[in-house]
Amino acid sequence: MMPADIVKNAKDSSDNNSLFAIRNVKFFLFVLFFGLFAFGAGLALGANGYQVTPAGLKVRLDRSTPPDKKDLDFSLFWRVWDMVKNSYFDNSKISETDMFFGAIKGMVSAVGDPYTVFLTPDENKIVREDLSGNFEGIGIQIGFKGSQLAVIAPLPDSPAEAAGIRAGDIIAVIKDKEKNIDRGTVGMSLPDAVQLIRGKAGSVVTLTLIRDGEKSPIIVDVVRKTINVPSVTLDFIGPEKNIAHIKVLKFGGETLSEWGQAILNIQTKQGLEGIIVDLRNNPGGYLQGAVDLGSEFLQEGQIVVVEEYANGSKNEFFVEKSGKLNREKLVVLVNDGSASASEILAGALRDIKKTPIVGTVTFGKGTVQEAKELESGTGLHITVARWLTPSGFWVNGNGLSPDYEVEDNPETIEDEQLSKAVEVLKNINSLTR
């Protein structure tokens, strides 16, 4: 269950499935209490005072104020720390580890960006599981609609899909009787939500959902199971079975190798009429993945995406060599579950190649996160830039509007959006677009 996020790789890897990382030295993706005062705790490591050992992280917290922070009164932080530690009525609930991590989380959350978060070792492990595509849960991608926790998309053939959970549903309450959890999601971070929703296969989580068009909340019980998520699937459709329908489910560590195999199969297909790239319910992932996949249809030197930083500087991502399929007829399928890297790919193909887009308005996630690997498996995910399509459009909050808007009726067997994509593809006359 991966949040809608764009990944920038933070370290090189020799794994063939991590080829996205080669041209970027950054990584990806993704809070509660003590706010700005917690900053002093992070800066004051290394002398005398409390010794805290969260998950093997051995540090000493010095209560003296750092020289460059003399204008801040950190005594308030330590006074609250001591009051909670010494006066809270249920001492069994006091954990210096949790207080330590909670202080850092609060500091980071003070910026007000749900995608800028501090990750504990367990939360950071979840991110790595998301990228590998294997975990135990219900199979939903989650993110934010404004400040509300929302379903980006249920995964195909997942417990969430079987339970009727839909893209765009607002998750209002998460309940797990076995874990004694019953929590509203207001102010909840993505990592916290993921941890609550995930659990061992066979256990049950209950979600209260708010859905557009429904007057009352929807309550669903979902049985968790082991989720194995492929990145890319390929089949050939149409009366002649000569239209390649390539579905990209996420931009993870193994996507490029699976994509490469699909491209080989497409290249060897006799009488190929065209290609439909299906990005529906794809929540994103590695930014470089969108660049690599998009390059398969574009010419060398063309810009796929532009990163824009707070100081006005820009980083442009170019096609490094002309793609193997740059002369094939092409249509892109999207919906409201298509986010971040999916929107990069769809936006680039429309801006540069005038590729028709079919479906519904996309999610609208237009920022880039950089992930820092910290001590003892902790991590920091921080928004460092916004991304723009080659024409300069920023999707954030608005999404990409399709050229052919088609709703998919869940009550029918037919895939109306895919059928429309086939119709549009057949009406594309020029091979060079």
Side-chain angles (χ1 to χ4, degrees):
M1 176 171 37
M2 182 168 56
D5 218 347
I6 290 183
V7 183
K8 300 197 70 185
N9 211 349
K11 57 182 178 181
D12 293 336
S13 172
S14 58
D15 189 336
N16 289 335
N17 288 338
S18 297
L19 293 178
F20 296 123
I22 293 176
R23 289 189 293 273
N24 265 349
V25 242
K26 301 176 184 175
F27 170 9
F28 141 30
L29 266 241
F30 310 59
V31 142
L32 172 100
F33 182 29
F34 291 113
L36 180 60
F37 302 107
F39 194 68
L43 292 174
L45 305 180
N48 298 317
Y50 281 111
Q51 180 168 322
V52 184
T53 58
L57 176 61
K58 295 182 181 297
V59 297
R60 288 186 179 275
L61 301 181
D62 184 356
R63 294 194 176 207
S64 62
T65 302
D68 60 340
K69 297 293 182 292
K70 292 295 185 183
D71 56 330
L72 296 175
D73 181 8
F74 288 109
S75 64
L76 175 61
F77 172 82
W78 290 115
R79 189 158 62 252
V80 173
W81 176 288
D82 289 339
M83 290 173 67
V84 172
K85 185 173 182 293
N86 299 324
S87 301
Y88 186 69
F89 85 102
D90 187 354
N91 191 259
S92 67
K93 299 289 176 60
I94 298 297
S95 164
E96 287 191 340
T97 295
D98 292 342
M99 290 171 67
F100 176 77
F101 284 149
I104 300 174
K105 280 175 170 282
M107 173 187 65
V108 175
S109 70
V111 303
D113 174 16
Y115 295 102
T116 295
V117 294
F118 171 79
L119 303 175
T120 66
D122 287 343
E123 292 165 347
N124 215 16
K125 180 174 177 286
I126 286 173
V127 172
R128 292 191 290 268
E129 289 175 348
D130 283 331
L131 293 175
S132 71
N134 300 299
F135 56 88
E136 292 184 336
I138 66 172
I140 56 173
Q141 316 285 358
I142 60 175
F144 287 97
K145 282 289 189 182
S147 61
Q148 295 178 304
L149 188 70
V151 177
I152 298 175
L155 297 175
D157 303 317
S158 67
E161 184 181 64
I165 295 174
R166 299 180 188 175
D169 285 348
I170 301 299
I171 303 174
V173 180
I174 302 170
K175 186 175 181 178
D176 187 324
K177 291 183 179 178
E178 187 175 324
K179 294 181 181 179
N180 196 27
I181 292 168
D182 190 352
R183 286 184 56 186
T185 61
V186 174
M188 186 179 292
S189 71
L190 282 175
D192 287 343
V194 170
Q195 279 200 311
L196 293 178
I197 295 173
R198 282 196 185 172
K200 63 183 180 181
S203 62
V204 178
V205 63
T206 301
L207 302 181
T208 301
L209 308 173
I210 308 298
R211 180 176 296 164
D212 283 346
E214 298 289 341
K215 294 181 179 179
S216 302
I218 299 168
I219 300 175
V220 292
D221 295 323
V222 193
V223 180
R224 302 176 177 105
K225 74 174 187 178
T226 300
I227 308 292
N228 297 304
V229 186
S231 288
V232 179
T233 63
L234 172 67
D235 60 332
F236 291 94
I237 61 176
E240 308 296 327
K241 301 295 183 183
N242 59 355
I243 296 174
H245 175 215
I246 184 166
K247 189 170 180 63
V248 185
L249 300 171
K250 62 188 175 73
F251 293 87
E254 74 287 0
T255 303
L256 189 56
S257 61
E258 294 180 15
W259 173 265
Q261 183 57 55
I263 296 307
L264 286 175
N265 293 339
I266 291 174
Q267 286 183 291
T268 57
K269 178 68 175 178
Q270 297 295 318
L272 182 70
E273 186 174 353
I275 302 168
I276 296 171
V277 176
D278 192 341
L279 300 174
R280 291 177 295 178
N281 296 335
N282 181 325
Y286 289 116
L287 179 146
Q288 187 63 47
V291 176
D292 289 337
L293 270 59
S295 296
E296 206 67 75
F297 303 101
L298 301 173
Q299 299 286 343
E300 183 177 0
Q302 291 176 321
I303 295 175
V304 180
V305 65
V306 178
E307 287 180 339
E308 186 174 79
Y309 296 87
N311 63 4
S313 64
K314 295 182 180 181
N315 184 25
E316 298 175 330
F317 290 78
F318 294 91
V319 177
E320 296 189 351
K321 62 179 181 179
S322 295
K324 302 181 184 71
L325 304 175
N326 60 40
R327 291 184 59 81
E328 300 294 344
K329 294 197 292 184
L330 181 65
V331 172
V332 173
L333 263 176
V334 298
N335 65 3
D336 56 357
S338 306
S340 63
S342 296
E343 294 169 299
I344 288 176
L345 177 55
L349 292 176
R350 178 159 69 181
D351 280 4
I352 299 172
K353 199 178 175 70
K354 307 304 179 189
T355 299
I357 297 178
V358 176
T360 55
V361 177
T362 61
F363 186 81
K365 164 60 167 65
T367 56
V368 181
Q369 283 67 48
E370 177 177 311
K372 305 285 190 179
E373 295 293 325
L374 305 176
E375 292 85 352
S376 299
T378 61
L380 175 66
H381 292 251
I382 182 168
T383 300
V384 295
R386 67 173 184 166
W387 66 264
L388 308 172
T389 70
S391 67
F393 178 67
W394 191 32
V395 304
N396 212 57
N398 299 308
L400 295 171
S401 296
D403 302 291
Y404 301 89
E405 185 153 4
V406 181
E407 295 282 349
D408 186 40
N409 186 350
E411 305 299 325
T412 64
I413 298 176
E414 181 187 5
D415 186 337
E416 291 89 354
Q417 293 171 333
L418 183 59
S419 296
K420 183 63 177 181
V422 170
E423 175 190 327
V424 171
L425 184 75
K426 289 178 175 293
N427 288 321
I428 298 175
N429 296 319
S430 174
L431 293 180
T432 304
R433 295 184 55 80

